[in-house]
Amino acid sequence: MSGNTFGKIFKVTTFGESHGVAIGGIIDGCPAGVLLDLDKIQNELDRRKPGQSAIVTQRKEPDTVEFYSGIFEGYTTGTPIGFIIKNANQKSKDYSHIKDAYRPSHADYTYDQKYGTRDYRGGGRSSARETASRVVAGAIAKQVLKDLEFNAYVSAVGSIILDQAYTTLDFKETEKNIVRCPDPIKALEMENYIKQIRKEGDTVGGVVSCVIFGVPVGLGEPVFDRLHAELGKAMLSINAVKGFEYGSGFEGAKLKGSQHNDLFNPDGTTKTNLSGGIQGGISNGMDIYFNVAFKPVATIMQDQETIDKNGTIVTMQGKGRHDPCVVPRAVPIVEAMAALVLVDNWLLNRTSK
């Protein structure tokens, strides 16, 4: 299997399966001399880990990161940073019923057809558990980019939408509720809806929005490595993501050029920011903002018709511990992937002049 490495200079390779001994990663290309706050890294993992509230999967994992290289006396050494996160609460028997059958809208069928084998325990390598390693790497990237501020939050659950402009939101409110929506009223509405969906044995999708403050001018490498293209690839690599839009996104297609153009101020900033902080594939110094759409979790606690490895139609009963909605736990993953894109481009930008 290829495709387990992300980045060009700040490279992250992840490994491990959902029900294996551990997951982990190797970060290559992190600059030396960065003082790391390990508590902040662990805090990012705690935001993503399962079992943290009543509206997420109840798998109980401490998700404690253990570093094995690349850090000495609190500082990065410039050598590869190796780390693991041990799996502590696997219940592989929960998946014995799908050993020979394929869950609808999962990677079961495609993995089996591509590789001729699959780890059916929790999805193996295709499980979203892999994203914990990304969060570790992203937390380190954030500390390299100490002048940037990443704010991801839940802006929609199903048809419940937070339609406020991000400029009106208080991001300090995001972590004060289990949905991670910065509007307390909408957050409660979303929470109750997720609980209702869970009681029905069903799941629901949603949207995570992200705003990045303090991005300098000049990040992004045209033509094929435009900054928004790299962000799009990063977000679309996250499990369950179905869509990505930045700036005005699809709404911008409805406007005239006279309405959509961001006119300049004398200092190079713009009066509006429909460009989403990126022009010509390069950051322009304005806030970068984008939306990431997540589908409903494919495993539902209802009987579904599917096929087994012989092509026979069978009835599958949903079992195991699964999120009724992934977006609350996806918030730190979105921030992590955004940080990985920006740190890579920040390092690459050092060679531009």
Side-chain angles (χ1 to χ4, degrees):
M1 175 188 287
S2 60
N4 296 289
T5 300
F6 184 84
K8 295 181 176 66
I9 296 179
F10 192 102
K11 297 181 180 180
V12 181
T13 300
T14 70
F15 63 84
E17 292 80 37
S18 176
H19 285 227
V21 175
I23 56 174
I26 298 174
I27 303 169
D28 195 16
C30 181
V34 178
L35 178 61
L36 293 181
D37 186 332
L38 301 185
D39 289 337
K40 285 185 177 180
I41 298 173
Q42 186 59 54
N43 181 64
E44 293 294 299
L45 275 172
D46 291 344
R47 295 170 69 207
R48 193 220 70 97
K49 73 179 182 180
Q52 61 183 275
S53 76
I55 61 170
V56 303
T57 172
Q58 293 307 293
R59 178 173 176 171
K60 300 297 183 182
E61 292 284 356
D63 277 1
T64 303
V65 62
E66 300 176 16
F67 290 101
Y68 286 88
S69 63
I71 303 171
F72 180 65
E73 295 183 340
Y75 288 87
T76 58
T77 63
T79 60
I81 299 173
F83 63 90
I84 68 165
I85 303 164
K86 292 178 181 177
N87 292 325
N89 190 221
Q90 311 97 311
K91 289 187 178 181
S92 300
K93 66 180 186 330
D94 287 348
Y95 298 91
S96 58
H97 67 297
I98 63 165
K99 181 179 180 181
D100 298 317
Y102 304 123
R103 294 169 295 178
S105 291
H106 273 274
D108 297 344
Y109 176 79
T110 52
Y111 265 57
D112 213 356
Q113 295 301 304
K114 180 176 177 65
Y115 300 109
T117 184
R118 69 183 174 98
D119 184 347
Y120 60 86
R121 305 166 303 165
R125 184 69 178 152
S126 69
S127 169
R129 180 140 184 77
E130 177 271 337
T131 59
S133 298
R134 306 183 189 205
V135 170
V136 173
I140 292 175
K142 283 184 179 181
Q143 295 191 42
V144 176
L145 301 170
K146 58 183 182 298
D147 294 329
L148 275 61
E149 181 182 331
F150 296 82
N151 295 283
Y153 59 95
V154 173
S155 58
V157 171
S159 60
I160 303 172
I161 301 171
L162 175 64
D163 53 8
Q164 291 177 243
Y166 76 84
T167 52
T168 67
L169 298 174
D170 181 1
F171 292 124
K172 293 179 181 178
E173 296 293 322
T174 302
E175 292 295 323
K176 293 182 180 180
N177 60 78
I178 59 178
V179 181
R180 294 199 168 93
C181 174
D183 182 300
I185 296 175
K186 282 289 184 181
L188 183 58
E189 188 178 352
M190 292 174 180
E191 178 185 342
N192 290 334
Y193 184 55
I194 294 172
K195 288 178 178 178
Q196 175 191 329
I197 291 293
R198 182 172 215 156
K199 288 180 180 178
E200 296 171 359
D202 217 330
T203 60
V204 66
V207 176
V208 174
S209 298
C210 185
V211 184
I212 311 171
F213 298 120
V215 182
V217 179
L219 304 188
E221 299 294 324
V223 171
F224 297 111
D225 295 338
R226 296 170 186 263
L227 187 58
H228 57 276
E230 295 296 296
L231 284 168
K233 177 182 179 180
M235 299 306 145
L236 290 165
S237 76
I238 301 171
N239 308 61
V241 169
K242 300 298 288 184
F244 169 82
E245 64 174 357
Y246 77 102
S248 61
F250 285 92
E251 290 299 313
K254 302 174 183 178
L255 303 178
K256 299 176 183 178
S258 56
Q259 298 170 308
H260 192 269
N261 286 344
D262 293 320
L263 302 183
F264 284 104
N265 295 310
D267 62 358
T269 60
T270 55
K271 299 179 186 300
T272 56
N273 187 22
L274 295 175
S275 298
I278 303 171
Q279 293 174 332
I282 302 170
S283 62
N284 66 357
M286 301 294 287
D287 302 337
I288 291 178
Y289 64 96
F290 56 86
N291 298 318
V292 187
F294 287 80
K295 70 174 184 177
V297 174
T299 298
I300 61 176
M301 298 298 107
Q302 299 177 12
D303 289 350
Q304 293 185 94
E305 192 175 85
T306 189
I307 61 171
D308 63 18
K309 64 181 182 180
N310 299 315
T312 304
I313 299 294
V314 297
T315 298
M316 174 178 292
Q317 181 183 12
K319 296 180 181 179
R321 301 162 295 177
H322 304 278
D323 293 88
C325 181
V326 298
V327 289
R329 292 177 60 212
V331 166
I333 303 169
V334 168
E335 288 185 2
M337 293 308 297
L340 290 175
V341 170
L342 290 186
V343 76
D344 207 31
N345 279 273
W346 179 73
L347 290 168
L348 189 59
N349 203 46
R350 292 180 173 185
T351 68
S352 62
K353 289 183 182 178

